[in-house]
Amino acid sequence: MTTSTTLKPTRTTSTPVAVQARDVVRTYGRGHAAVRALDGVTVSIPAGRFTAIMGPSGSGKSTLMHALAGLDTVDAGQILLGGTDLGQLTERQRTLLRRDRIGFVFQAFNLVPTLTVRENIVLPLTLAGRRPDPERLAHLVASLGLTDRLRHRPGELSGGQQQRVAVARALVTRPDIVFADEPTGNLDSRAAEALLGVLRRAVDELGQTIVMVTHDPHAAAYADRVVFLADGRIASELDAPTVPAVLSRMARLTAAATGEGN
């Protein structure tokens, strides 16, 4: 008997902000070779929502995600995770923050091949010296269709199953926010659809905050909102995205980036 109906968050008229960037600048290289990957970006990611980040190649979308997640420092501006200014933290403090408050799902599954599925899922808790909540763990693996795979090792799973293990690992710590970097990039279309459905349910049923970098309009259509970047700046935003609307927006941005819109 499912318990998902008891897990839905209470919606309020004012949505809190999970993480935000304020006038963020990030430059790589120096002198004539310098590239300004982020050029004064200001954006807020609402809590309990699914946000996709898109843009042409080189637009700064991955750089923005890395900055928001505390994986990279910025040259100017602020990154605020809740009330925490990431720029004021030491490297060790940022490492602990990422471990305790942030979940990650990457295109490469990044599972430990010698560990079982269960051991991979609870690894963040193990490293933190914490025990998993048995009820939450059971619900999580059941919702991801992994209950009968807990004793298997990653090499015995399909790509879609491995990515679901990575999602379970990201969610098991009850993070403030989950960052997913091209999570469907190594999956076939069927496995990709299944994974996106899992991420959507994590938002709707668990109240999870998810930020996903993607180039795929079909993936972006699962989100509540799409933030579009171009040349290191926020170009536009789209609420309740559909595949045609995302395709149209991306076509305009790509044309502008290549000069075809002139």
Side-chain angles (χ1 to χ4, degrees), residues 40-176:
V41 169
T42 296
V43 66
S44 294
I45 304 298
R49 303 285 300 280
F50 191 167
T51 301
I53 300 176
M54 300 189 76
S57 179
S59 61
K61 53 187 183 292
S62 290
T63 302
L64 176 59
M65 190 202 77
H66 291 164
L68 292 173
L71 291 169
D72 196 5
T73 57
V74 300
D75 300 316
Q78 283 183 305
I79 301 292
L80 300 171
L81 180 69
T84 303
D85 184 343
L86 301 191
Q88 300 301 312
L89 302 181
T90 65
E91 181 56 41
R92 172 168 172 74
Q93 288 172 329
R94 282 198 302 272
T95 298
L96 293 176
L97 178 140
R98 290 193 299 266
R99 186 193 71 186
D100 296 337
R101 297 176 58 186
I102 298 176
F104 295 98
V105 181
F106 298 103
Q107 182 174 339
F109 313 130
N110 291 347
L111 302 178
V112 180
T114 57
L115 299 182
T116 65
V117 165
R118 186 187 187 282
E119 289 167 341
N120 268 285
I121 291 172
V122 303
L123 184 59
L125 295 173
T126 302
L127 293 174
R130 294 158 53 194
R131 293 180 179 275
D133 177 330
E135 184 177 348
R136 177 177 175 80
L137 181 60
H139 175 77
L140 194 57
V141 298
S143 67
L144 290 167
L146 295 170
T147 303
D148 61 347
R149 294 288 187 268
L150 292 180
R151 295 182 181 273
H152 289 68
R153 285 181 167 75
E156 301 173 293
L157 306 180
S158 68
Q161 290 170 332
Q162 290 186 61
Q163 192 62 299
R164 278 184 274 145
V165 174
V167 170
R169 181 182 58 191
L171 294 174
V172 74
T173 59
R174 302 176 185 266
D176 294 354

Side-chain angles (χ1 to χ4, degrees), residues 14-39:
S14 178
T15 303
V17 173
V19 64
Q20 58 185 310
R22 294 179 179 174
D23 299 319
V24 167
V25 174
R26 182 67 169 103
T27 302
Y28 296 103
R30 295 181 179 180
H32 295 298
V35 175
R36 184 165 283 204
L38 297 177
D39 189 12

Side-chain angles (χ1 to χ4, degrees), residues 49-52 184 189-190 192-201 203-204 212 216-226 240-243 246:
R49 303 285 300 280
F50 191 167
T51 301
T184 62
S189 58
R190 184 175 180 179
E193 292 284 342
L195 178 73
L196 291 165
V198 165
L199 296 178
R200 183 68 257 177
R201 291 194 300 275
V203 175
D204 294 337
M212 175 180 68
D216 182 359
H218 294 275
Y222 276 81
D224 297 303
R225 166 178 168 249
V226 181
T242 63
V243 172
V246 173

